[in-house]
Short mmCIF file of all heavy atoms in Angstrom, two decimals:
data_model
loop_
_atom_site.label_atom_id
_atom_site.label_comp_id
_atom_site.label_asym_id
_atom_site.label_seq_id
_atom_site.Cartn_x
_atom_site.Cartn_y
_atom_site.Cartn_z
N ASN A 109 49.09 -59.56 116.58
CA ASN A 109 48.58 -58.19 116.39
C ASN A 109 48.21 -57.50 117.69
O ASN A 109 47.75 -56.35 117.66
CB ASN A 109 47.35 -58.22 115.48
CG ASN A 109 47.70 -58.58 114.06
OD1 ASN A 109 48.73 -58.19 113.55
ND2 ASN A 109 46.82 -59.33 113.40
N LEU A 110 48.41 -58.16 118.82
CA LEU A 110 47.99 -57.59 120.11
C LEU A 110 48.59 -56.23 120.42
O LEU A 110 47.89 -55.35 120.93
CB LEU A 110 48.31 -58.58 121.24
CG LEU A 110 47.71 -58.25 122.61
CD1 LEU A 110 46.18 -58.19 122.53
CD2 LEU A 110 48.16 -59.28 123.65
N PRO A 111 49.88 -55.98 120.11
CA PRO A 111 50.43 -54.64 120.39
C PRO A 111 49.68 -53.51 119.67
O PRO A 111 49.73 -52.36 120.12
CB PRO A 111 51.88 -54.74 119.90
CG PRO A 111 52.21 -56.18 120.04
CD PRO A 111 50.95 -56.92 119.71
N LEU A 112 49.01 -53.83 118.56
CA LEU A 112 48.23 -52.80 117.87
C LEU A 112 46.95 -52.47 118.61
O LEU A 112 46.40 -51.38 118.48
CB LEU A 112 47.87 -53.27 116.46
CG LEU A 112 49.00 -53.31 115.42
CD1 LEU A 112 48.48 -53.89 114.12
CD2 LEU A 112 49.58 -51.94 115.20
N LEU A 113 46.44 -53.43 119.40
CA LEU A 113 45.16 -53.26 120.06
C LEU A 113 45.30 -52.59 121.42
O LEU A 113 44.33 -52.04 121.94
CB LEU A 113 44.48 -54.63 120.23
CG LEU A 113 44.32 -55.46 118.95
CD1 LEU A 113 43.72 -56.82 119.27
CD2 LEU A 113 43.48 -54.73 117.93
N LEU A 114 46.50 -52.66 122.01
CA LEU A 114 46.71 -52.09 123.33
C LEU A 114 47.22 -50.66 123.24
O LEU A 114 48.03 -50.35 122.36
CB LEU A 114 47.73 -52.93 124.11
CG LEU A 114 47.32 -54.36 124.48
CD1 LEU A 114 48.50 -55.09 125.13
CD2 LEU A 114 46.13 -54.36 125.42
N PRO A 115 46.78 -49.77 124.14
CA PRO A 115 47.38 -48.43 124.18
C PRO A 115 48.87 -48.54 124.47
O PRO A 115 49.30 -49.37 125.26
CB PRO A 115 46.63 -47.76 125.34
CG PRO A 115 45.36 -48.53 125.49
CD PRO A 115 45.68 -49.94 125.10
N GLU A 116 49.65 -47.69 123.82
CA GLU A 116 51.10 -47.81 123.96
C GLU A 116 51.57 -47.58 125.39
O GLU A 116 52.52 -48.22 125.84
CB GLU A 116 51.80 -46.81 123.04
CG GLU A 116 53.31 -46.99 123.02
CD GLU A 116 54.01 -46.02 122.10
OE1 GLU A 116 53.32 -45.22 121.44
OE2 GLU A 116 55.26 -46.05 122.05
N ILE A 117 50.89 -46.71 126.13
CA ILE A 117 51.29 -46.46 127.50
C ILE A 117 51.12 -47.70 128.36
O ILE A 117 51.93 -47.99 129.24
CB ILE A 117 50.48 -45.26 128.09
CG1 ILE A 117 50.96 -44.92 129.49
CG2 ILE A 117 48.99 -45.56 128.08
CD1 ILE A 117 52.38 -44.42 129.56
N VAL A 118 50.07 -48.48 128.07
CA VAL A 118 49.84 -49.73 128.81
C VAL A 118 50.95 -50.73 128.51
O VAL A 118 51.51 -51.37 129.41
CB VAL A 118 48.47 -50.33 128.45
CG1 VAL A 118 48.29 -51.70 129.10
CG2 VAL A 118 47.35 -49.39 128.88
N LEU A 119 51.29 -50.86 127.23
CA LEU A 119 52.36 -51.77 126.83
C LEU A 119 53.70 -51.34 127.41
O LEU A 119 54.49 -52.18 127.84
CB LEU A 119 52.42 -51.84 125.30
CG LEU A 119 53.36 -52.89 124.70
CD1 LEU A 119 52.89 -54.29 125.07
CD2 LEU A 119 53.41 -52.74 123.19
N ALA A 120 53.94 -50.04 127.44
CA ALA A 120 55.22 -49.53 127.97
C ALA A 120 55.34 -49.81 129.46
O ALA A 120 56.39 -50.24 129.95
CB ALA A 120 55.33 -48.04 127.69
N VAL A 121 54.25 -49.57 130.21
CA VAL A 121 54.28 -49.82 131.65
C VAL A 121 54.45 -51.30 131.94
O VAL A 121 55.24 -51.70 132.81
CB VAL A 121 52.99 -49.28 132.31
CG1 VAL A 121 52.89 -49.73 133.76
CG2 VAL A 121 52.94 -47.76 132.23
N ALA A 122 53.73 -52.15 131.19
CA ALA A 122 53.85 -53.58 131.38
C ALA A 122 55.27 -54.07 131.08
O ALA A 122 55.84 -54.90 131.81
CB ALA A 122 52.85 -54.31 130.48
N THR A 123 55.87 -53.52 130.03
CA THR A 123 57.24 -53.90 129.68
C THR A 123 58.22 -53.44 130.74
O THR A 123 59.16 -54.17 131.11
CB THR A 123 57.63 -53.29 128.32
OG1 THR A 123 56.66 -53.65 127.34
CG2 THR A 123 58.99 -53.78 127.88
N LEU A 124 58.02 -52.24 131.26
CA LEU A 124 58.90 -51.72 132.31
C LEU A 124 58.82 -52.59 133.56
O LEU A 124 59.85 -52.92 134.17
CB LEU A 124 58.51 -50.28 132.65
CG LEU A 124 59.30 -49.60 133.77
CD1 LEU A 124 60.77 -49.51 133.41
CD2 LEU A 124 58.73 -48.21 134.05
N ILE A 125 57.61 -52.99 133.94
CA ILE A 125 57.45 -53.85 135.12
C ILE A 125 58.12 -55.20 134.89
O ILE A 125 58.80 -55.74 135.78
CB ILE A 125 55.95 -54.02 135.43
CG1 ILE A 125 55.34 -52.69 135.86
CG2 ILE A 125 55.75 -55.07 136.52
CD1 ILE A 125 53.84 -52.74 136.06
N LEU A 126 57.95 -55.76 133.69
CA LEU A 126 58.56 -57.05 133.38
C LEU A 126 60.07 -56.98 133.47
O LEU A 126 60.71 -57.85 134.08
CB LEU A 126 58.13 -57.50 131.98
CG LEU A 126 58.79 -58.78 131.45
CD1 LEU A 126 58.41 -59.97 132.33
CD2 LEU A 126 58.40 -59.04 130.01
N PHE A 127 60.67 -55.95 132.88
CA PHE A 127 62.12 -55.83 132.92
C PHE A 127 62.62 -55.60 134.34
O PHE A 127 63.71 -56.05 134.69
CB PHE A 127 62.56 -54.68 132.01
CG PHE A 127 62.41 -54.98 130.54
CD1 PHE A 127 62.30 -53.95 129.62
CD2 PHE A 127 62.39 -56.28 130.09
CE1 PHE A 127 62.17 -54.22 128.26
CE2 PHE A 127 62.24 -56.56 128.73
CZ PHE A 127 62.14 -55.53 127.83
N SER A 128 61.84 -54.88 135.13
CA SER A 128 62.23 -54.67 136.54
C SER A 128 62.21 -55.98 137.30
O SER A 128 63.11 -56.25 138.12
CB SER A 128 61.28 -53.65 137.19
OG SER A 128 61.35 -52.40 136.54
N GLN A 129 61.21 -56.81 137.05
CA GLN A 129 61.13 -58.11 137.72
C GLN A 129 62.25 -59.04 137.27
O GLN A 129 62.77 -59.83 138.06
CB GLN A 129 59.77 -58.77 137.41
CG GLN A 129 58.57 -58.04 138.02
CD GLN A 129 58.58 -58.08 139.54
OE1 GLN A 129 58.95 -59.08 140.15
NE2 GLN A 129 58.19 -56.97 140.16
N LEU A 130 62.64 -58.94 136.01
CA LEU A 130 63.72 -59.78 135.49
C LEU A 130 65.10 -59.25 135.85
O LEU A 130 66.11 -59.94 135.66
CB LEU A 130 63.61 -59.90 133.96
CG LEU A 130 62.37 -60.62 133.43
CD1 LEU A 130 62.35 -60.57 131.90
CD2 LEU A 130 62.32 -62.07 133.92
N GLY A 131 65.16 -58.01 136.34
CA GLY A 131 66.45 -57.42 136.68
C GLY A 131 67.25 -56.98 135.48
O GLY A 131 68.48 -56.85 135.55
N LEU A 132 66.57 -56.74 134.37
CA LEU A 132 67.25 -56.30 133.14
C LEU A 132 67.46 -54.79 133.20
O LEU A 132 66.50 -54.02 133.10
CB LEU A 132 66.42 -56.68 131.92
CG LEU A 132 67.02 -56.35 130.55
CD1 LEU A 132 68.35 -57.06 130.36
CD2 LEU A 132 66.05 -56.73 129.43
N ALA A 133 68.70 -54.38 133.35
CA ALA A 133 68.99 -52.96 133.54
C ALA A 133 69.65 -52.32 132.33
O ALA A 133 69.75 -51.09 132.28
CB ALA A 133 69.90 -52.78 134.76
#
Side-chain angles (χ1 to χ4, degrees):
N109 291 323
L110 190 59
L112 287 176
L113 307 176
L114 294 174
E116 186 179 358
I117 184 65
V118 174
L119 188 63
V121 171
T123 306
L124 178 61
I125 294 174
L126 174 63
F127 289 157
S128 298
Q129 293 294 322
L130 295 176
L132 183 60

